[in-house]
Amino acid sequence: MRTISFVTFALLLAGFANGDVSAAPSCDSLRQLRLPDTTITAAEQVPAGGFSQAGAGRGGQAYRDLPGFCRVSATLTPTTDSDIKVEVWLPESGWNGKFQAVGNGAWSGAIGYAALADALRLGYAASSTDTGHVGGSASFALGHPEKLIDFAYRSEHLMTVQAKAIVNAFYGTAPKYSYWNGCSAGGRQALKEAQMFPQDFDGIIAGSPGLDWSGRTAQAVRIAQALQNEQARITASQLPLLHAAAVSACDAQDGVKDGLIQNPAACKFDPAVLQCKSAGAANCLTAPQVETARMIYSPITNARTKRVITGLVPGSELGWTDLGWTASARSTGLDHFRYVIFKDPAWDLLKFNAATDVPRLEDGESAALDARDTNLKPFFDRGGKLLQYHGWSDPQISPLASPTYYERVVAALGAGAVEKSYRLFMVPGMGHCTGGEGPNEFDKIGTLEAWVEQGKAPNQITATHRSGGQAGRTRPLCAYPQVARYKGTGSIDEAANFNCVKP
Ligand SMILES: [Ca+2]
């Protein structure tokens, strides 16, 4: 038996309830905690500044400022094929009384230490999961349908349930508020939670969500396939040229020439303006390169369901260095077709056929990864708040997927219900989750806390652009569908000189 007796544990809790803080379960004793389908594998006190983690993506130096905490590791096994690793970090002192679950990226397969640390610094009890497998490939899914479900939504939900139980055991009280905070794949997880497990969180941050997960894989594979032809590739040195032309076409539409397109959805830009007039000309694109750019901006329509899978938008070009022939956009898309759709590790990009393969995306296991269900009513009805953001210059995940989903939710539930519970902030000039030319630093968790805990619904959020460590331009981010409009006087680098208005 891996448990302390229930009686012992209940006595410890009773001691805490009577005000005897020293009788609350110590970090050590959490090892004896018994939870369904859960094995606590470690519970150790980490002194202030004492955390370092090989493979955490940053050196120990990045964690020197962490307060002391109780680090709990657990393995969740909801099915015989499940192997879900979870960590729960519990501040030893200064707990803010709240719980924050942090999301993952791409195919994940790793605990998100940097995000856990960010939550801990704010006083949160926090948790993260590896989503049930190790490593960044989808090969885990081959022959393991239960592991794919763990990745799709089960690991995140069960992590949340068990982490709250661990919080309760350690502090002797349940968290006052619980939040999800994730971007990219973590934004997909965020929306899955809101859609499927409305009781898990009081507030959910869905950043740059891969909500049309499967559709995005088709976009990634289509582009990667086209770029097998070297003639079609736009070189890194040509991207600034294309970007300048796109911005030039639409920058002034929003009333301010500031290098930013406030509403790229309304920007009509044809890269043919850059097509070379003669062979060997410089500072121009060849006809195949123009076609590549058009493809990247263009949607794919599912031939069977007629659903439109949106593309990237003008302004995002500087981020196109990673499309198609390297790294993440290609591998996440390729992996989806290999291991989820065709279950064939030898499947190759060259086999992709949009007419026949795209309809497969909305079936079975593939569809289960998407987070496009509009039924947020149970989450809204119990008071849940959803804060979504997406950079317009996201080169990884179509930013148009976010307003498309928002509008579908409005159509399904009505504008009134959405107004009370859901805000989308599109961020001009922001890349994937962060970075880019526009003001892109803003307080997501603080904004959500104020909404959930004090009823202050955010209609605008001030964002800052930082370069070289210096804070520069500020600008309001406006609740969709509003956009920032210059008042006509004062610096265009000061948020106060802008209003949020209907476009
Ligand atoms: Ca502008």
Side-chain angles (χ1 to χ4, degrees):
M1 292 289 284
R2 59 174 190 258
T3 66
I4 46 171
S5 78
F6 177 76
V7 172
T8 306
F9 194 68
L11 287 172
L12 289 169
L13 290 181
F16 186 87
N18 288 335
D20 181 0
V21 173
S22 64
S26 66
C27 187
D28 251 11
S29 72
L30 290 177
R31 235 174 278 170
Q32 312 304 318
L33 184 61
R34 187 173 186 192
L35 298 167
D37 301 324
T38 300
T39 305
I40 308 278
T41 52
E44 53 179 4
Q45 276 183 288
V46 178
F51 177 74
S52 71
Q53 177 67 31
R58 298 190 209 174
Q61 197 66 32
Y63 299 106
R64 286 285 158 77
D65 64 335
L66 287 185
F69 65 100
C70 171
R71 181 184 180 191
V72 181
S73 304
T75 302
L76 314 186
T77 50
T79 75
T80 53
D81 197 31
S82 293
D83 182 19
I84 300 166
K85 299 290 195 288
V86 165
E87 289 201 26
V88 184
W89 288 15
L90 305 156
E92 293 276 0
S93 62
W95 181 43
N96 67 6
K98 300 182 260 188
F99 168 68
Q100 185 180 144
V102 299
N104 303 83
W107 289 104
S108 188
I111 302 277
Y113 290 107
L116 277 175
D118 286 344
L120 189 73
R121 288 185 188 100
L122 294 174
Y124 276 94
S127 75
S128 171
T129 174
D130 71 353
T131 68
H133 65 274
V134 174
S137 160
S139 58
F140 74 88
L142 205 59
H144 294 279
E146 295 293 351
K147 280 192 186 332
L148 191 61
I149 293 171
D150 287 340
F151 171 78
Y153 53 82
R154 190 162 50 202
S155 62
E156 299 89 330
H157 167 60
L158 293 178
M159 166 187 78
T160 301
V161 170
Q162 305 309 355
K164 285 184 186 177
I166 290 166
V167 168
N168 198 21
F170 187 64
Y171 297 110
T173 181
K176 277 183 300 189
Y177 298 103
S178 296
Y179 296 99
W180 178 277
N181 188 0
C183 197
S184 192
R188 183 196 69 83
Q189 296 168 320
L191 292 172
K192 275 297 208 200
E193 277 288 327
Q195 293 158 6
M196 296 180 70
F197 306 104
Q199 72 284 10
D200 279 0
F201 295 101
D202 303 296
I204 290 179
I205 298 173
S208 310
L211 68 99
D212 185 4
W213 178 274
S214 66
R216 177 186 171 274
T217 69
Q219 286 282 19
V221 167
R222 175 174 75 151
I223 294 165
Q225 185 191 55
L227 297 180
Q228 297 303 298
N229 171 15
E230 287 194 27
Q231 305 282 314
R233 295 181 191 175
I234 303 168
T235 67
S237 63
Q238 288 173 309
L239 291 176
L241 181 75
L242 181 60
H243 179 63
V247 171
S248 165
C250 298
D251 184 355
Q253 274 178 8
D254 52 42
V256 183
K257 286 190 85 169
D258 57 352
L260 300 174
I261 305 170
Q262 284 292 319
N263 184 18
C267 174
K268 305 276 182 262
F269 169 64
D270 186 348
V273 296
L274 286 175
Q275 191 161 327
C276 303
K277 303 286 189 285
S278 59
N283 294 326
C284 59
L285 300 182
T286 64
Q289 289 175 325
V290 168
E291 283 312 308
T292 296
R294 281 183 176 150
M295 180 181 61
I296 291 171
Y297 296 129
S298 69
I300 300 174
T301 301
N302 183 324
R304 190 185 75 206
T305 64
K306 308 303 176 201
R307 191 173 77 81
V308 171
I309 299 163
T310 54
L312 304 184
V313 301
S316 63
E317 301 78 12
L318 295 179
W320 292 7
T321 51
D322 189 30
L323 290 175
W325 58 97
T326 58
S328 69
R330 172 179 167 170
S331 64
T332 50
L334 185 60
D335 270 19
H336 189 84
F337 280 92
R338 276 185 178 165
Y339 301 113
V340 179
I341 302 286
F342 292 109
K343 306 188 192 311
D344 173 9
W347 187 85
D348 188 79
L349 287 170
L350 297 176
K351 293 185 180 169
F352 176 68
N353 178 329
T356 54
D357 295 345
V358 171
R360 294 167 174 267
L361 295 169
E362 292 184 41
D363 296 335
E365 290 181 318
S366 175
L369 290 168
D370 288 350
R372 296 187 296 106
D373 188 344
T374 56
N375 186 19
L376 299 175
K377 190 171 187 305
F379 179 64
F380 292 171
D381 282 352
R382 60 170 294 279
K385 307 299 183 200
L386 174 58
L387 180 70
Q388 185 171 336
Y389 64 89
H390 207 138
W392 271 122
S393 293
D394 192 330
Q396 297 279 337
I397 295 175
S398 169
L400 292 165
S402 279
T404 299
Y405 177 71
Y406 180 92
E407 283 167 7
R408 287 178 57 236
V409 175
V410 170
L413 304 183
V418 170
E419 170 73 15
K420 278 187 218 136
S421 309
Y422 180 15
R423 293 283 192 284
L424 167 63
F425 291 87
M426 298 304 294
V427 188
M430 186 172 86
H432 185 55
C433 294
T434 184
E437 297 175 305
N440 51 47
E441 290 184 14
F442 53 102
D443 184 5
K444 295 118 191 164
I445 192 74
T447 299
L448 185 58
E449 286 173 327
W451 193 7
V452 168
E453 298 170 27
Q454 298 158 40
K456 293 179 184 167
N459 293 316
Q460 63 178 62
I461 308 171
T462 301
T464 303
H465 186 265
R466 193 179 299 273
S467 63
Q470 296 296 308
R473 172 179 284 173
T474 59
R475 191 63 65 85
L477 306 177
C478 302
Y480 181 87
Q482 295 202 323
V483 296
R485 170 96 30 100
Y486 181 50
K487 291 176 180 172
T489 55
S491 167
I492 63 166
D493 295 331
E494 303 267 349
N497 298 324
F498 287 77
N499 285 323
C500 288
V501 299
K502 290 241 163 71

